[in-house]
Structures are given as C-alpha cells and as structure tokens.
Amino acid sequence: MNKAHVTEHLRFALDEQLNTAKIAAQTAHDTATHEESIAETQYDTLGLEAAYLAQGHAERVNECYKEIQLFEAIYNEPVTGTVVISSLVCLEDDASTQKWFYLGPAAGGLTVDIKGTTIQVLTSGAPLGQQLLGKQVDDEVSLTLGDLKHSYDVVEVL
C-alpha cells in the first residue's frame, strides 16, 4: 500500500465532502430565503425550519474546512514505525482477513477505496483508534463489540 496514494484519495474525499456540504448549504439558504417560505400565519414555520436547516448546513461546511486543515497539517508526517495520528495501519484478524485504517485527526468513518481495498479513517477518540495509538508491527489489539471480542494483529504501519 502506498501512503502517498492514500493521502491523495483522502484529499479528494474531503474535498468532495466539502463540495457536497456547500451545495446542501446553498440549497437550504435558497429555500429559507425564497418568497414561498415567508410565513402567512403564526403556525406557518416552513421558513423558520428552513433557516435552522441552512444554519446546520453552514456549520457543516465550516467543519469540513477545519477537517481539511487538520489533515493538511499531518499528511507529510514521517513514518516512525509506531502508530500515531497520520499512520496508515493494516490489521489482520484470526481468519487472516486484512483491514486498513488511516488514523486521522478528524473525519472518523470516512472511507476511500483504492484498487478494491477499503481504507477507513479512525480518530483517536474511537475505541479502536485509542487502542492503536502507540502500537507497532506484531502488537495485538482487541475490541469488544457487544458480546463479541475481536482480536487483530498489527501487520503494517506506514
């Protein structure tokens, strides 16, 4: 796996999220300020609801900008062999199934697909992200989901 290639895909995915958020914010703003959204009675709340929605979308746009800035600050961090924020990590379970994760400063849950391999962004606030910090190749991490305990071996840290 090429970490530089992964970071480029993450850049594109974050930019796509930003563009989607901008479109949603503009659409909500247009709806909130449209003449048909003007209240005709005290019970007509379409305009008010649209304004709240527009505000929420505008906040999401700001979050996207912040996420991009946080990622830009870590993309070129050197590889140390220890899992840190900005590490690309491959985990393997007992059935030899490999899963790739990018430990990021934000945007947890974001996924990118590179040549059929899915890489998921984890943050240090996620249970698995917390467990991964400081680990090295051949270390083991375990995670309990519901009643099931999952164990993984760290097989690669980039």
Side-chain angles (χ1 to χ4, degrees):
M1 183 67 57
N2 183 335
K3 186 175 177 181
H5 197 63
V6 171
T7 57
E8 282 302 309
H9 275 75
L10 287 172
R11 278 189 173 104
F12 291 135
L14 289 166
D15 285 342
E16 183 63 31
Q17 277 189 344
L18 173 61
N19 290 333
T20 301
K22 283 181 177 180
I23 291 168
Q26 185 61 50
T27 301
H29 177 267
D30 292 347
T31 301
T33 57
H34 193 272
E35 65 184 40
E36 291 181 3
S37 295
I38 297 172
E40 295 176 2
T41 69
Q42 66 185 27
Y43 302 108
D44 189 1
T45 60
L46 177 64
L48 181 61
E49 291 168 4
Y52 283 131
L53 184 61
Q55 179 184 358
H57 282 299
E59 289 173 7
R60 178 65 186 130
V61 169
N62 289 334
E63 288 174 13
C64 288
Y65 277 118
K66 289 177 185 175
E67 289 173 352
I68 289 170
Q69 288 176 337
L70 289 170
F71 271 86
E72 288 295 330
I74 65 154
Y75 277 138
N76 296 320
E77 292 291 316
V79 176
T80 62
T82 301
V83 178
V84 296
I85 304 291
S86 80
S87 291
L88 180 61
V89 182
C90 181
L91 300 180
E92 189 173 86
D93 64 14
D94 296 334
S96 297
T97 303
Q98 292 187 346
K99 296 182 182 185
W100 285 89
F101 298 95
Y102 184 91
L103 199 59
L110 177 68
T111 59
V112 293
D113 188 66
I114 301 174
K115 296 180 183 177
T117 301
T118 300
I119 295 111
Q120 181 176 356
V121 175
L122 288 177
T123 64
S124 60
L128 185 56
Q130 290 173 0
Q131 294 239 352
L132 282 174
L133 281 174
K135 299 292 186 190
Q136 296 178 337
V137 172
D138 294 330
D139 285 348
E140 185 177 308
V141 294
S142 59
L143 184 65
T144 303
L145 299 172
D147 294 336
L148 297 175
K149 183 176 180 178
H150 301 275
S151 294
Y152 301 96
D153 291 321
V154 178
V155 293
E156 197 166 350
V157 177
L158 303 174

